[in-house]
Amino acid sequence: MPIIEARGLARTFTSRKRTVHAVRGVDLTVEAGEIVGFLGPNGAGKTTTLRMLTTLLEPTAGTATVAGADLRRNPLEVRRRIGYVPQAIGQTMGGTDPECLVQEELLDQAALYRIGRADAAARAAALTAQLDLGGLDQRPVKTLSGGQRRRLEIALGLVHQPPLVFLDEPTTGLDPQSRSNLWEHIRGLRSDLGTTVFLTTHYLDEADALCDRVFIIDNGVTVASGTPDELKRQVSGDVVTLAVNGAHDKARELLARQPIVADVAVAEDGGLRLSVVNGAEALPALLRVLDDAGITLASINLSRPTLDDVFLTMTGRSLRDDSPSAAASGQPESQPAGEE
Amino acid sequence: MSFIHDTLIVFRREMRLSLRNPAWVVIVLVQPVLYLVLFGPLLTRLPAGALGGSVAAGTPAGAAAAYRFFVPGLLIQLGLFGSMFVGFAIISDWRGGVIERFRVTPVSRLAVMSGRVLRDTIVLVVQAVVLVLVSLAFGLRAPVSAVLISLGFIVLVAVGLASVSYATALTVKSEDAFAPMLNSVIVPLVLLSGILLPMTLAPGWLQGVARISPFRYIIDAMREAFAGHYANTIMLEGVLVAVGLAVVCLVLGSRVFVRENA
């Protein structure tokens, strides 16, 4: 059974005779153990959907089962079974009190879930170890670094060992080093604790690097879902550009005959530009063909469509346009995932 | 009961955070004394009869009468200023995401308010006790039962005002909007409730207007108690108004906290 199953989830806001359809109909299926990303430009309905799934906002239509409980009929049971980490910038901060001690925050949070003192202390100790917060127990939250504070906020969402945790913009506002560090921790939630992670993000590189699957929401409806690779392939194939030493025409003829090559064109700089379905698999084959024909390469480059290309195709908007922070992340989108 | 359990969790957290701030502790304890030291001396020099008593000013009996008039007013003023301002803290908690974090846990959403109100009520009672003790040193003479009755009123006032303050603050979600709202409510209430001077000095129209302030009735009832009168219509009115105020404010406050999108 999927851990999140939403059908036609919708929310309208009515104010002063104006009706705003913030979310028109969101369908989501998330399997246990997945890390899923929820992408959308500002105002697409991303936050509204997350607030509905976490019981902060009542849907006006649709149905959803979250962690085995009916969202509309039994929101209290949903709250018992999910963890939630609010976003740390914007309208609200991440949910910790600057004056509280780290240990107090963890124990208070455990008390909210009615976890006994001994268990709570054990959970707090395990989480501080898991999230690299060791030795910070007696520190006030306000003295933590941005990354430490974010990890504490995530620890709070995990105190009751929920099978499913919602992370709202988990790395927004962190420096690149803290971001990749946090990615490791988020991967660890799944691999070490078996937690399903549902996160929203503005960063396409984050979705690419971290998520097994992404949902794209635009105008209040989910417009696409799939693994980052699937989505990119739907948009366009990979592009291999290469230059050979001499034998230019022979190379072009030879490559055009290969079944894995969909199209060969001459690039502006005189090199060859090949469209292939899966560049990573095509490269070795192409190299072998050229080598067998005795043609030597001067250069070769593989570029893959980015999630931003996907985004642009699906929504008609570039996610980067409305999120200056994504451009500031210092990660060029054309880099393949995994190297970051 | 789970609601009480949840309230105590929130109360424990809020009280711990309050006590951690030394400036807060000092202000809480010094504030009632300041009112007494800076304003009390004026009262004891008022001409005999001005405060409704018949003893001469400047004598110990006159001072005792003046404080029997003044202390109930001061207690309510502490409540007005103390409890009405508590809402500011919840705006920063809301902005910090703390309220949202609590709302996604199984804890009662009402306890997010009631735990804080419990803290504020206890703080106000402590302030009231300090005020009464210092007043005794200044010359107040009043029956113990009057003091206990007054503390009962203080509890009702604190519960009501703190609830309304949190509910209002969480609705407007902006210190810039909340501060002028408070001022425009508190100043007329202080003036109309006969806190500093008896409303009997006021012309008829002003006395009429003053009838809209619930604190007018509560202060009158407390003054009756301090004068040793417990069973009369003034006392009954005061009790009914205080209970009514607390209940109405609690209901209004709860609605804001339980509603889905606070």
PDB file of all heavy atoms in Angstrom, chain A residues 11 51 55-56 58 84 92-93 95 99 104-105 108-109 111 113-114, chain B residues 2 5-6 9 13 16 20 95-97 100-101 104 106 109 260-261:
ATOM      1  N   ARG A  11      -7.957  22.739  -2.950  1.00  0.00           N
ATOM      2  CA  ARG A  11      -8.204  23.737  -1.911  1.00  0.00           C
ATOM      3  C   ARG A  11      -8.518  25.070  -2.571  1.00  0.00           C
ATOM      4  O   ARG A  11      -7.753  25.567  -3.390  1.00  0.00           O
ATOM      5  CB  ARG A  11      -6.966  23.882  -1.022  1.00  0.00           C
ATOM      6  CG  ARG A  11      -7.026  25.012  -0.034  1.00  0.00           C
ATOM      7  CD  ARG A  11      -7.974  24.711   1.105  1.00  0.00           C
ATOM      8  NE  ARG A  11      -8.359  25.947   1.767  1.00  0.00           N
ATOM      9  CZ  ARG A  11      -8.858  26.017   3.004  1.00  0.00           C
ATOM     10  NH1 ARG A  11      -9.027  24.910   3.704  1.00  0.00           N
ATOM     11  NH2 ARG A  11      -9.194  27.159   3.522  1.00  0.00           N
ATOM     12  N   ARG A  51       0.726  21.731   3.076  1.00  0.00           N
ATOM     13  CA  ARG A  51      -0.034  22.055   4.287  1.00  0.00           C
ATOM     14  C   ARG A  51      -1.271  21.177   4.420  1.00  0.00           C
ATOM     15  O   ARG A  51      -1.682  20.837   5.515  1.00  0.00           O
ATOM     16  CB  ARG A  51      -0.410  23.545   4.312  1.00  0.00           C
ATOM     17  CG  ARG A  51       0.799  24.460   4.472  1.00  0.00           C
ATOM     18  CD  ARG A  51       0.420  25.931   4.429  1.00  0.00           C
ATOM     19  NE  ARG A  51      -0.343  26.324   5.592  1.00  0.00           N
ATOM     20  CZ  ARG A  51       0.187  26.614   6.777  1.00  0.00           C
ATOM     21  NH1 ARG A  51       1.492  26.566   6.924  1.00  0.00           N
ATOM     22  NH2 ARG A  51      -0.570  26.950   7.782  1.00  0.00           N
ATOM     23  N   THR A  55      -1.951  18.191   7.553  1.00  0.00           N
ATOM     24  CA  THR A  55      -3.115  18.545   8.381  1.00  0.00           C
ATOM     25  C   THR A  55      -3.139  19.993   8.846  1.00  0.00           C
ATOM     26  O   THR A  55      -3.907  20.351   9.737  1.00  0.00           O
ATOM     27  CB  THR A  55      -3.271  17.652   9.647  1.00  0.00           C
ATOM     28  OG1 THR A  55      -2.329  18.080  10.636  1.00  0.00           O
ATOM     29  CG2 THR A  55      -3.057  16.183   9.351  1.00  0.00           C
ATOM     30  N   LEU A  56      -2.309  20.848   8.246  1.00  0.00           N
ATOM     31  CA  LEU A  56      -2.347  22.258   8.645  1.00  0.00           C
ATOM     32  C   LEU A  56      -3.489  22.992   7.940  1.00  0.00           C
ATOM     33  O   LEU A  56      -3.891  24.075   8.350  1.00  0.00           O
ATOM     34  CB  LEU A  56      -1.016  22.945   8.330  1.00  0.00           C
ATOM     35  CG  LEU A  56       0.122  22.629   9.299  1.00  0.00           C
ATOM     36  CD1 LEU A  56       1.449  23.087   8.736  1.00  0.00           C
ATOM     37  CD2 LEU A  56      -0.132  23.280  10.654  1.00  0.00           C
ATOM     38  N   GLU A  58      -7.274  22.235   5.734  1.00  0.00           N
ATOM     39  CA  GLU A  58      -8.246  21.218   5.355  1.00  0.00           C
ATOM     40  C   GLU A  58      -8.528  21.301   3.864  1.00  0.00           C
ATOM     41  O   GLU A  58      -8.780  22.386   3.348  1.00  0.00           O
ATOM     42  CB  GLU A  58      -9.533  21.479   6.150  1.00  0.00           C
ATOM     43  CG  GLU A  58     -10.282  20.232   6.500  1.00  0.00           C
ATOM     44  CD  GLU A  58     -11.489  20.569   7.347  1.00  0.00           C
ATOM     45  OE1 GLU A  58     -11.319  21.113   8.454  1.00  0.00           O
ATOM     46  OE2 GLU A  58     -12.601  20.309   6.867  1.00  0.00           O
ATOM     47  N   TYR A  84       7.124  16.444  10.520  1.00  0.00           N
ATOM     48  CA  TYR A  84       7.029  17.626   9.656  1.00  0.00           C
ATOM     49  C   TYR A  84       8.105  18.617  10.049  1.00  0.00           C
ATOM     50  O   TYR A  84       8.269  18.927  11.226  1.00  0.00           O
ATOM     51  CB  TYR A  84       5.639  18.252   9.816  1.00  0.00           C
ATOM     52  CG  TYR A  84       5.470  19.614   9.183  1.00  0.00           C
ATOM     53  CD1 TYR A  84       5.626  19.779   7.805  1.00  0.00           C
ATOM     54  CD2 TYR A  84       5.158  20.725   9.954  1.00  0.00           C
ATOM     55  CE1 TYR A  84       5.472  21.032   7.232  1.00  0.00           C
ATOM     56  CE2 TYR A  84       4.995  21.976   9.378  1.00  0.00           C
ATOM     57  CZ  TYR A  84       5.156  22.122   8.015  1.00  0.00           C
ATOM     58  OH  TYR A  84       4.991  23.356   7.448  1.00  0.00           O
ATOM     59  N   THR A  92       7.506  31.651   7.844  1.00  0.00           N
ATOM     60  CA  THR A  92       7.817  31.101   9.156  1.00  0.00           C
ATOM     61  C   THR A  92       9.211  30.486   9.134  1.00  0.00           C
ATOM     62  O   THR A  92       9.679  30.031   8.113  1.00  0.00           O
ATOM     63  CB  THR A  92       6.823  30.009   9.574  1.00  0.00           C
ATOM     64  OG1 THR A  92       6.889  28.965   8.608  1.00  0.00           O
ATOM     65  CG2 THR A  92       5.419  30.541   9.680  1.00  0.00           C
ATOM     66  N   MET A  93       9.851  30.469  10.296  1.00  0.00           N
ATOM     67  CA  MET A  93      11.159  29.834  10.401  1.00  0.00           C
ATOM     68  C   MET A  93      10.963  28.372  10.777  1.00  0.00           C
ATOM     69  O   MET A  93       9.855  27.904  10.944  1.00  0.00           O
ATOM     70  CB  MET A  93      12.007  30.570  11.436  1.00  0.00           C
ATOM     71  CG  MET A  93      12.312  32.007  11.050  1.00  0.00           C
ATOM     72  SD  MET A  93      13.371  32.122   9.594  1.00  0.00           S
ATOM     73  CE  MET A  93      14.962  31.780  10.319  1.00  0.00           C
ATOM     74  N   GLY A  95      10.906  26.358  13.209  1.00  0.00           N
ATOM     75  CA  GLY A  95      10.163  25.744  14.308  1.00  0.00           C
ATOM     76  C   GLY A  95      10.915  25.558  15.605  1.00  0.00           C
ATOM     77  O   GLY A  95      10.398  24.954  16.535  1.00  0.00           O
ATOM     78  N   GLU A  99      15.909  30.481  22.232  1.00  0.00           N
ATOM     79  CA  GLU A  99      16.346  30.467  23.633  1.00  0.00           C
ATOM     80  C   GLU A  99      16.394  29.057  24.231  1.00  0.00           C
ATOM     81  O   GLU A  99      16.966  28.846  25.296  1.00  0.00           O
ATOM     82  CB  GLU A  99      15.410  31.335  24.490  1.00  0.00           C
ATOM     83  CG  GLU A  99      15.288  32.786  24.031  1.00  0.00           C
ATOM     84  CD  GLU A  99      16.615  33.525  24.099  1.00  0.00           C
ATOM     85  OE1 GLU A  99      17.429  33.182  24.967  1.00  0.00           O
ATOM     86  OE2 GLU A  99      16.836  34.433  23.265  1.00  0.00           O
ATOM     87  N   GLU A 104      16.441  20.346  25.343  1.00  0.00           N
ATOM     88  CA  GLU A 104      15.066  20.672  25.732  1.00  0.00           C
ATOM     89  C   GLU A 104      14.119  20.581  24.543  1.00  0.00           C
ATOM     90  O   GLU A 104      12.994  20.081  24.670  1.00  0.00           O
ATOM     91  CB  GLU A 104      15.002  22.092  26.296  1.00  0.00           C
ATOM     92  CG  GLU A 104      15.650  22.235  27.646  1.00  0.00           C
ATOM     93  CD  GLU A 104      15.785  23.704  28.063  1.00  0.00           C
ATOM     94  OE1 GLU A 104      15.558  24.606  27.223  1.00  0.00           O
ATOM     95  OE2 GLU A 104      16.120  23.927  29.229  1.00  0.00           O
ATOM     96  N   GLU A 105      14.571  21.072  23.391  1.00  0.00           N
ATOM     97  CA  GLU A 105      13.718  21.008  22.209  1.00  0.00           C
ATOM     98  C   GLU A 105      13.371  19.554  21.894  1.00  0.00           C
ATOM     99  O   GLU A 105      12.222  19.223  21.615  1.00  0.00           O
ATOM    100  CB  GLU A 105      14.415  21.650  20.994  1.00  0.00           C
ATOM    101  CG  GLU A 105      14.367  23.180  20.985  1.00  0.00           C
ATOM    102  CD  GLU A 105      12.975  23.735  20.690  1.00  0.00           C
ATOM    103  OE1 GLU A 105      11.974  23.040  20.948  1.00  0.00           O
ATOM    104  OE2 GLU A 105      12.896  24.883  20.213  1.00  0.00           O
ATOM    105  N   ASP A 108      11.033  18.161  24.692  1.00  0.00           N
ATOM    106  CA  ASP A 108       9.687  18.744  24.577  1.00  0.00           C
ATOM    107  C   ASP A 108       8.935  18.108  23.416  1.00  0.00           C
ATOM    108  O   ASP A 108       7.756  17.760  23.529  1.00  0.00           O
ATOM    109  CB  ASP A 108       9.774  20.263  24.338  1.00  0.00           C
ATOM    110  CG  ASP A 108       9.955  21.042  25.635  1.00  0.00           C
ATOM    111  OD1 ASP A 108       9.950  20.399  26.703  1.00  0.00           O
ATOM    112  OD2 ASP A 108      10.111  22.272  25.573  1.00  0.00           O
ATOM    113  N   GLN A 109       9.633  17.988  22.292  1.00  0.00           N
ATOM    114  CA  GLN A 109       8.987  17.421  21.113  1.00  0.00           C
ATOM    115  C   GLN A 109       8.537  15.984  21.400  1.00  0.00           C
ATOM    116  O   GLN A 109       7.439  15.586  21.031  1.00  0.00           O
ATOM    117  CB  GLN A 109       9.964  17.459  19.921  1.00  0.00           C
ATOM    118  CG  GLN A 109       9.371  16.991  18.610  1.00  0.00           C
ATOM    119  CD  GLN A 109       8.481  18.028  17.952  1.00  0.00           C
ATOM    120  OE1 GLN A 109       8.253  19.115  18.502  1.00  0.00           O
ATOM    121  NE2 GLN A 109       7.952  17.716  16.787  1.00  0.00           N
ATOM    122  N   ALA A 111       7.737  14.817  24.291  1.00  0.00           N
ATOM    123  CA  ALA A 111       6.586  14.887  25.207  1.00  0.00           C
ATOM    124  C   ALA A 111       5.294  15.143  24.429  1.00  0.00           C
ATOM    125  O   ALA A 111       4.231  14.637  24.788  1.00  0.00           O
ATOM    126  CB  ALA A 111       6.804  15.986  26.248  1.00  0.00           C
ATOM    127  N   TYR A 113       4.501  13.941  21.731  1.00  0.00           N
ATOM    128  CA  TYR A 113       4.052  12.654  21.190  1.00  0.00           C
ATOM    129  C   TYR A 113       3.834  11.640  22.306  1.00  0.00           C
ATOM    130  O   TYR A 113       3.694  10.456  22.050  1.00  0.00           O
ATOM    131  CB  TYR A 113       5.073  12.117  20.178  1.00  0.00           C
ATOM    132  CG  TYR A 113       5.102  12.911  18.902  1.00  0.00           C
ATOM    133  CD1 TYR A 113       6.026  13.936  18.703  1.00  0.00           C
ATOM    134  CD2 TYR A 113       4.180  12.650  17.883  1.00  0.00           C
ATOM    135  CE1 TYR A 113       6.038  14.670  17.534  1.00  0.00           C
ATOM    136  CE2 TYR A 113       4.189  13.381  16.713  1.00  0.00           C
ATOM    137  CZ  TYR A 113       5.121  14.390  16.538  1.00  0.00           C
ATOM    138  OH  TYR A 113       5.126  15.114  15.383  1.00  0.00           O
ATOM    139  N   ARG A 114       3.869  12.111  23.564  1.00  0.00           N
ATOM    140  CA  ARG A 114       3.634  11.258  24.726  1.00  0.00           C
ATOM    141  C   ARG A 114       4.645  10.127  24.827  1.00  0.00           C
ATOM    142  O   ARG A 114       4.313   9.001  25.163  1.00  0.00           O
ATOM    143  CB  ARG A 114       2.229  10.680  24.689  1.00  0.00           C
ATOM    144  CG  ARG A 114       1.255  11.772  24.476  1.00  0.00           C
ATOM    145  CD  ARG A 114      -0.149  11.325  24.458  1.00  0.00           C
ATOM    146  NE  ARG A 114      -0.920  12.512  24.773  1.00  0.00           N
ATOM    147  CZ  ARG A 114      -1.356  12.796  25.976  1.00  0.00           C
ATOM    148  NH1 ARG A 114      -1.163  11.970  26.955  1.00  0.00           N
ATOM    149  NH2 ARG A 114      -2.000  13.904  26.198  1.00  0.00           N
TER     150      ARG A 114
ATOM    151  N   SER B   2      -6.061  14.060  28.566  1.00  0.00           N
ATOM    152  CA  SER B   2      -4.980  14.436  27.654  1.00  0.00           C
ATOM    153  C   SER B   2      -4.858  15.951  27.499  1.00  0.00           C
ATOM    154  O   SER B   2      -3.764  16.475  27.340  1.00  0.00           O
ATOM    155  CB  SER B   2      -5.209  13.782  26.297  1.00  0.00           C
ATOM    156  OG  SER B   2      -6.302  14.391  25.648  1.00  0.00           O
ATOM    157  N   HIS B   5      -2.800  17.206  30.342  1.00  0.00           N
ATOM    158  CA  HIS B   5      -1.420  16.776  30.106  1.00  0.00           C
ATOM    159  C   HIS B   5      -0.744  17.694  29.077  1.00  0.00           C
ATOM    160  O   HIS B   5       0.368  18.186  29.274  1.00  0.00           O
ATOM    161  CB  HIS B   5      -1.444  15.322  29.619  1.00  0.00           C
ATOM    162  CG  HIS B   5      -0.112  14.802  29.190  1.00  0.00           C
ATOM    163  ND1 HIS B   5       0.315  14.869  27.878  1.00  0.00           N
ATOM    164  CD2 HIS B   5       0.897  14.224  29.878  1.00  0.00           C
ATOM    165  CE1 HIS B   5       1.521  14.348  27.792  1.00  0.00           C
ATOM    166  NE2 HIS B   5       1.903  13.949  28.988  1.00  0.00           N
ATOM    167  N   ASP B   6      -1.445  17.943  27.967  1.00  0.00           N
ATOM    168  CA  ASP B   6      -0.888  18.786  26.906  1.00  0.00           C
ATOM    169  C   ASP B   6      -0.666  20.221  27.389  1.00  0.00           C
ATOM    170  O   ASP B   6       0.349  20.849  27.084  1.00  0.00           O
ATOM    171  CB  ASP B   6      -1.827  18.798  25.689  1.00  0.00           C
ATOM    172  CG  ASP B   6      -1.854  17.443  24.985  1.00  0.00           C
ATOM    173  OD1 ASP B   6      -1.020  16.588  25.333  1.00  0.00           O
ATOM    174  OD2 ASP B   6      -2.700  17.254  24.104  1.00  0.00           O
ATOM    175  N   ILE B   9       2.450  20.402  29.402  1.00  0.00           N
ATOM    176  CA  ILE B   9       3.675  20.359  28.589  1.00  0.00           C
ATOM    177  C   ILE B   9       4.006  21.762  28.069  1.00  0.00           C
ATOM    178  O   ILE B   9       5.134  22.237  28.169  1.00  0.00           O
ATOM    179  CB  ILE B   9       3.506  19.404  27.383  1.00  0.00           C
ATOM    180  CG1 ILE B   9       3.355  17.967  27.863  1.00  0.00           C
ATOM    181  CG2 ILE B   9       4.697  19.521  26.435  1.00  0.00           C
ATOM    182  CD1 ILE B   9       3.004  17.013  26.737  1.00  0.00           C
ATOM    183  N   ARG B  13       7.190  24.324  29.241  1.00  0.00           N
ATOM    184  CA  ARG B  13       8.114  24.888  28.272  1.00  0.00           C
ATOM    185  C   ARG B  13       8.138  26.419  28.356  1.00  0.00           C
ATOM    186  O   ARG B  13       9.194  27.044  28.418  1.00  0.00           O
ATOM    187  CB  ARG B  13       7.679  24.440  26.873  1.00  0.00           C
ATOM    188  CG  ARG B  13       8.472  25.061  25.737  1.00  0.00           C
ATOM    189  CD  ARG B  13       7.899  24.597  24.397  1.00  0.00           C
ATOM    190  NE  ARG B  13       8.505  25.320  23.291  1.00  0.00           N
ATOM    191  CZ  ARG B  13       9.597  24.907  22.659  1.00  0.00           C
ATOM    192  NH1 ARG B  13      10.185  23.796  23.011  1.00  0.00           N
ATOM    193  NH2 ARG B  13      10.107  25.625  21.677  1.00  0.00           N
ATOM    194  N   ARG B  16       9.640  27.739  31.673  1.00  0.00           N
ATOM    195  CA  ARG B  16      11.088  27.546  31.674  1.00  0.00           C
ATOM    196  C   ARG B  16      11.762  28.649  30.850  1.00  0.00           C
ATOM    197  O   ARG B  16      12.752  29.243  31.251  1.00  0.00           O
ATOM    198  CB  ARG B  16      11.392  26.166  31.073  1.00  0.00           C
ATOM    199  CG  ARG B  16      12.831  25.738  31.139  1.00  0.00           C
ATOM    200  CD  ARG B  16      12.978  24.334  30.583  1.00  0.00           C
ATOM    201  NE  ARG B  16      12.588  24.280  29.188  1.00  0.00           N
ATOM    202  CZ  ARG B  16      12.004  23.231  28.594  1.00  0.00           C
ATOM    203  NH1 ARG B  16      11.717  22.160  29.295  1.00  0.00           N
ATOM    204  NH2 ARG B  16      11.695  23.265  27.321  1.00  0.00           N
ATOM    205  N   ARG B  20      14.176  31.785  32.304  1.00  0.00           N
ATOM    206  CA  ARG B  20      15.554  31.828  31.850  1.00  0.00           C
ATOM    207  C   ARG B  20      15.998  33.262  31.579  1.00  0.00           C
ATOM    208  O   ARG B  20      17.185  33.551  31.504  1.00  0.00           O
ATOM    209  CB  ARG B  20      15.677  30.990  30.577  1.00  0.00           C
ATOM    210  CG  ARG B  20      17.066  30.904  30.044  1.00  0.00           C
ATOM    211  CD  ARG B  20      17.192  29.758  29.091  1.00  0.00           C
ATOM    212  NE  ARG B  20      16.924  28.503  29.761  1.00  0.00           N
ATOM    213  CZ  ARG B  20      16.581  27.381  29.137  1.00  0.00           C
ATOM    214  NH1 ARG B  20      16.457  27.373  27.839  1.00  0.00           N
ATOM    215  NH2 ARG B  20      16.370  26.287  29.814  1.00  0.00           N
ATOM    216  N   ARG B  95       6.109  33.292  13.948  1.00  0.00           N
ATOM    217  CA  ARG B  95       7.088  33.578  12.903  1.00  0.00           C
ATOM    218  C   ARG B  95       8.227  32.565  12.940  1.00  0.00           C
ATOM    219  O   ARG B  95       8.807  32.238  11.919  1.00  0.00           O
ATOM    220  CB  ARG B  95       7.617  35.007  13.082  1.00  0.00           C
ATOM    221  CG  ARG B  95       8.328  35.519  11.883  1.00  0.00           C
ATOM    222  CD  ARG B  95       8.573  37.010  11.976  1.00  0.00           C
ATOM    223  NE  ARG B  95       7.337  37.775  11.828  1.00  0.00           N
ATOM    224  CZ  ARG B  95       6.935  38.730  12.653  1.00  0.00           C
ATOM    225  NH1 ARG B  95       7.652  39.054  13.694  1.00  0.00           N
ATOM    226  NH2 ARG B  95       5.812  39.370  12.431  1.00  0.00           N
ATOM    227  N   GLY B  96       8.549  32.102  14.145  1.00  0.00           N
ATOM    228  CA  GLY B  96       9.614  31.107  14.278  1.00  0.00           C
ATOM    229  C   GLY B  96       9.189  29.712  13.867  1.00  0.00           C
ATOM    230  O   GLY B  96       9.993  28.786  13.917  1.00  0.00           O
ATOM    231  N   GLY B  97       7.917  29.548  13.470  1.00  0.00           N
ATOM    232  CA  GLY B  97       7.446  28.231  13.054  1.00  0.00           C
ATOM    233  C   GLY B  97       7.121  27.312  14.216  1.00  0.00           C
ATOM    234  O   GLY B  97       6.770  26.158  14.008  1.00  0.00           O
ATOM    235  N   GLU B 100       3.383  26.302  14.268  1.00  0.00           N
ATOM    236  CA  GLU B 100       3.110  25.342  13.207  1.00  0.00           C
ATOM    237  C   GLU B 100       3.649  23.953  13.581  1.00  0.00           C
ATOM    238  O   GLU B 100       2.994  22.947  13.391  1.00  0.00           O
ATOM    239  CB  GLU B 100       3.753  25.838  11.919  1.00  0.00           C
ATOM    240  CG  GLU B 100       3.211  25.200  10.692  1.00  0.00           C
ATOM    241  CD  GLU B 100       3.594  25.995   9.460  1.00  0.00           C
ATOM    242  OE1 GLU B 100       2.859  26.929   9.089  1.00  0.00           O
ATOM    243  OE2 GLU B 100       4.639  25.686   8.891  1.00  0.00           O
ATOM    244  N   ARG B 101       4.856  23.957  14.134  1.00  0.00           N
ATOM    245  CA  ARG B 101       5.456  22.686  14.541  1.00  0.00           C
ATOM    246  C   ARG B 101       4.557  21.964  15.556  1.00  0.00           C
ATOM    247  O   ARG B 101       4.328  20.760  15.451  1.00  0.00           O
ATOM    248  CB  ARG B 101       6.828  22.970  15.157  1.00  0.00           C
ATOM    249  CG  ARG B 101       7.449  21.799  15.870  1.00  0.00           C
ATOM    250  CD  ARG B 101       8.782  22.208  16.495  1.00  0.00           C
ATOM    251  NE  ARG B 101       8.983  21.582  17.768  1.00  0.00           N
ATOM    252  CZ  ARG B 101       9.762  22.070  18.732  1.00  0.00           C
ATOM    253  NH1 ARG B 101      10.387  23.221  18.559  1.00  0.00           N
ATOM    254  NH2 ARG B 101       9.906  21.429  19.846  1.00  0.00           N
ATOM    255  N   VAL B 104       1.350  20.283  14.086  1.00  0.00           N
ATOM    256  CA  VAL B 104       1.453  19.042  13.309  1.00  0.00           C
ATOM    257  C   VAL B 104       1.745  17.856  14.229  1.00  0.00           C
ATOM    258  O   VAL B 104       1.919  16.734  13.785  1.00  0.00           O
ATOM    259  CB  VAL B 104       2.504  19.187  12.180  1.00  0.00           C
ATOM    260  CG1 VAL B 104       2.532  17.967  11.283  1.00  0.00           C
ATOM    261  CG2 VAL B 104       2.189  20.401  11.330  1.00  0.00           C
ATOM    262  N   PRO B 106       0.415  15.485  17.680  1.00  0.00           N
ATOM    263  CA  PRO B 106      -0.919  15.134  18.208  1.00  0.00           C
ATOM    264  C   PRO B 106      -1.348  15.973  19.409  1.00  0.00           C
ATOM    265  O   PRO B 106      -2.426  15.776  19.932  1.00  0.00           O
ATOM    266  CB  PRO B 106      -0.774  13.657  18.594  1.00  0.00           C
ATOM    267  CG  PRO B 106       0.639  13.293  18.459  1.00  0.00           C
ATOM    268  CD  PRO B 106       1.388  14.400  17.828  1.00  0.00           C
ATOM    269  N   ARG B 109      -4.553  21.346  20.038  1.00  0.00           N
ATOM    270  CA  ARG B 109      -4.246  22.685  19.509  1.00  0.00           C
ATOM    271  C   ARG B 109      -4.661  23.764  20.498  1.00  0.00           C
ATOM    272  O   ARG B 109      -4.079  24.838  20.536  1.00  0.00           O
ATOM    273  CB  ARG B 109      -4.935  22.868  18.151  1.00  0.00           C
ATOM    274  CG  ARG B 109      -4.251  22.027  17.087  1.00  0.00           C
ATOM    275  CD  ARG B 109      -4.825  22.196  15.706  1.00  0.00           C
ATOM    276  NE  ARG B 109      -3.964  21.481  14.740  1.00  0.00           N
ATOM    277  CZ  ARG B 109      -4.178  21.458  13.443  1.00  0.00           C
ATOM    278  NH1 ARG B 109      -5.197  22.087  12.925  1.00  0.00           N
ATOM    279  NH2 ARG B 109      -3.342  20.798  12.650  1.00  0.00           N
ATOM    280  N   GLU B 260      -8.630  25.837  11.683  1.00  0.00           N
ATOM    281  CA  GLU B 260      -7.625  25.100  10.932  1.00  0.00           C
ATOM    282  C   GLU B 260      -6.389  25.903  10.539  1.00  0.00           C
ATOM    283  O   GLU B 260      -5.299  25.369  10.517  1.00  0.00           O
ATOM    284  CB  GLU B 260      -8.258  24.518   9.676  1.00  0.00           C
ATOM    285  CG  GLU B 260      -9.065  25.544   8.906  1.00  0.00           C
ATOM    286  CD  GLU B 260      -9.113  25.217   7.435  1.00  0.00           C
ATOM    287  OE1 GLU B 260      -8.335  24.375   6.994  1.00  0.00           O
ATOM    288  OE2 GLU B 260      -9.920  25.837   6.741  1.00  0.00           O
ATOM    289  N   ASN B 261      -6.538  27.186  10.248  1.00  0.00           N
ATOM    290  CA  ASN B 261      -5.407  27.869   9.640  1.00  0.00           C
ATOM    291  C   ASN B 261      -4.869  28.987  10.520  1.00  0.00           C
ATOM    292  O   ASN B 261      -4.708  30.106  10.086  1.00  0.00           O
ATOM    293  CB  ASN B 261      -5.814  28.426   8.278  1.00  0.00           C
ATOM    294  CG  ASN B 261      -4.606  28.869   7.500  1.00  0.00           C
ATOM    295  OD1 ASN B 261      -3.493  28.405   7.744  1.00  0.00           O
ATOM    296  ND2 ASN B 261      -4.800  29.780   6.572  1.00  0.00           N
TER     297      ASN B 261
END
